[in-house]
Amino acid sequence: MLGIVYITAGNMKNASQIARELVSKRLAACVNMFPVSSVYRWKEEIEEDNEIAMFVKTDSSRFEEITKLVKSLHTYEMPAIEFWGIEGEKEYLDWVHVNSSGEETKK
Amino acid sequence: MLGIVYITAGNMKNASQIARELVSKRLAACVNMFPVSSVYRWKEEIEEDNEIAMFVKTDSSRFEEITKLVKSLHTYEMPAIEFWGIEGEKEYLDWVHVNSSGEETKK
Amino acid sequence: MLGIVYITAGNMKNASQIARELVSKRLAACVNMFPVSSVYRWKEEIEEDNEIAMFVKTDSSRFEEITKLVKSLHTYEMPAIEFWGIEGEKEYLDWVHVNSSGEETKK
């Protein structure tokens, strides 16, 4: 199934690094990134931070590989890595499928 | 089923044009647009671009009409047009349903 | 089921107020907020407005409580309150589950 992996990163430098690795390793066809203001609970305190949200367009069969790569590059102990399935326009979905086949190519 | 159609456009001018057409033709009740930085693979190269992401709140039965309209107005050869279903607060969902009935009204 | 509640607010002040209440009352583990430009139909007119979109990471069993709290604090007559389910990385999902258990804690 095709879908979106939703990740939040601490800054754009880390987000872009992760995004480029995912795309060059064909773990994702495309990544859309945008700044967010976050409110969350961490060790019993309410925290506020600026983060970068990431929409990673990929195939659900890549999820384990994506999780491994994100954890290896991410600056957090426990990054947010979520997934939901999508349908969509056929030609575009075929492009996502082909470009998230998992075979690495030269950067 | 009600849901979100997720589209990315090349710039806000094109995104707003598409959004206004979708809403005035009652193909969508509301469109939320925001700037994103994108990393993607295109013809074997890793590309980076600024785009506009669009959350189109609509009914899944409008998807073919939305795809046709987006393709007729979009500046890309192959725009990203994705869909996922939503549930939600009843009064709001009724409003989305009524306003994505597909009957055009005067602009 | 864990998921994302998607809300739009009229400004960041209202969005942050809602976000902090949701997190401190353990109705959500985390809220990501970002500015959007909206086009929508309201009383037969096409309107354009700046809003704040909110991704509320929570458990679907909290939805009624979240709807009640949002309606009590929101500046709109009929706020957009939508939900879609997610899967994801186990450790992160466990954290969302624990922090959206519904038992209030001191702010």
Side-chain angles (χ1 to χ4, degrees):
Chain A
M1 177 209 297
L2 297 181
I4 289 175
V5 173
Y6 182 77
I7 300 166
T8 50
N11 53 62
M12 185 54 95
K13 191 175 162 226
N14 195 213
S16 300
Q17 179 195 10
I18 292 169
R20 285 194 73 92
E21 279 297 299
L22 290 173
V23 172
S24 75
K25 288 185 159 60
R26 285 190 191 268
L27 296 180
C30 173
V31 181
N32 301 145
M33 300 175 285
F34 55 100
V36 295
S37 310
S38 297
V39 175
Y40 57 97
R41 176 185 296 281
W42 190 250
K43 296 175 179 164
E44 285 320 305
E45 291 300 319
I46 313 272
E47 304 279 355
E48 295 200 22
D49 253 321
N50 293 322
E51 296 187 290
I52 301 294
M54 304 166 70
F55 277 10
V56 177
K57 316 294 186 69
T58 186
D59 192 305
S60 58
S61 53
R62 302 275 78 80
F63 189 75
E64 296 310 325
E65 296 156 272
I66 288 170
T67 298
K68 205 172 147 210
L69 183 138
V70 169
K71 285 189 160 183
S72 70
L73 295 175
H74 208 289
T75 57
Y76 294 1
E77 279 169 47
M78 188 193 72
I81 309 173
E82 309 168 18
F83 176 85
W84 64 86
I86 58 159
E87 297 162 61
E89 197 271 329
K90 183 167 180 340
E91 194 189 355
Y92 175 73
L93 295 189
D94 290 346
W95 175 79
V96 172
H97 185 69
V98 162
N99 287 289
S100 44
S101 59
E103 293 105 35
E104 181 160 358
T105 53
K106 283 190 310 315
K107 243 155 271 169
Chain B
M1 179 211 298
L2 297 181
I4 289 175
V5 173
Y6 181 76
I7 300 166
T8 49
N11 53 60
M12 185 53 94
K13 190 176 165 228
N14 195 213
S16 300
Q17 178 195 11
I18 291 168
R20 287 193 73 92
E21 279 297 299
L22 289 173
V23 173
S24 75
K25 287 185 160 60
R26 287 190 191 268
L27 296 181
C30 173
V31 181
N32 300 144
M33 300 175 285
F34 54 100
V36 296
S37 311
S38 298
V39 175
Y40 56 96
R41 177 185 296 281
W42 190 251
K43 296 174 179 165
E44 287 318 305
E45 291 299 320
I46 313 268
E47 306 279 354
E48 297 199 20
D49 253 323
N50 293 321
E51 296 187 287
I52 301 294
M54 303 167 70
F55 276 9
V56 177
K57 316 291 186 71
T58 186
D59 192 305
S60 57
S61 54
R62 301 275 78 81
F63 189 75
E64 296 309 325
E65 294 156 273
I66 288 171
T67 299
K68 203 172 149 211
L69 183 138
V70 170
K71 285 190 161 184
S72 70
L73 295 176
H74 208 289
T75 57
Y76 295 1
E77 278 170 48
M78 188 193 72
I81 309 173
E82 308 168 19
F83 176 85
W84 64 85
I86 58 160
E87 299 163 56
E89 196 272 331
K90 183 167 178 340
E91 194 189 356
Y92 175 74
L93 294 189
D94 290 345
W95 175 78
V96 172
H97 184 68
V98 163
N99 286 290
S100 44
S101 59
E103 291 106 37
E104 181 162 357
T105 52
K106 282 189 311 313
K107 247 153 276 172
Chain C
M1 179 209 301
L2 297 181
I4 289 174
V5 173
Y6 181 77
I7 300 166
T8 49
N11 54 61
M12 186 53 95
K13 191 176 164 226
N14 196 213
S16 300
Q17 179 195 9
I18 292 168
R20 285 193 74 91
E21 279 297 299
L22 289 173
V23 171
S24 75
K25 287 185 157 64
R26 286 191 191 265
L27 295 180
C30 174
V31 181
N32 301 144
M33 300 176 284
F34 54 100
V36 296
S37 311
S38 298
V39 175
Y40 57 96
R41 176 185 297 280
W42 190 251
K43 297 175 179 165
E44 286 319 306
E45 291 299 320
I46 313 269
E47 305 279 356
E48 296 199 22
D49 253 323
N50 294 321
E51 297 187 287
I52 301 294
M54 303 167 71
F55 276 9
V56 178
K57 316 292 186 71
T58 187
D59 192 305
S60 58
S61 54
R62 302 275 78 81
F63 188 76
E64 296 309 325
E65 296 157 271
I66 289 170
T67 298
K68 206 172 147 209
L69 184 138
V70 170
K71 283 189 161 185
S72 72
L73 295 176
H74 207 288
T75 56
Y76 294 1
E77 280 169 46
M78 187 193 72
I81 308 173
E82 306 169 11
F83 176 85
W84 64 87
I86 58 160
E87 298 161 59
E89 196 272 329
K90 184 168 182 334
E91 195 189 354
Y92 174 74
L93 294 189
D94 289 345
W95 175 78
V96 172
H97 183 69
V98 163
N99 286 290
S100 44
S101 59
E103 292 106 37
E104 182 162 355
T105 52
K106 281 186 314 313
K107 246 154 276 173

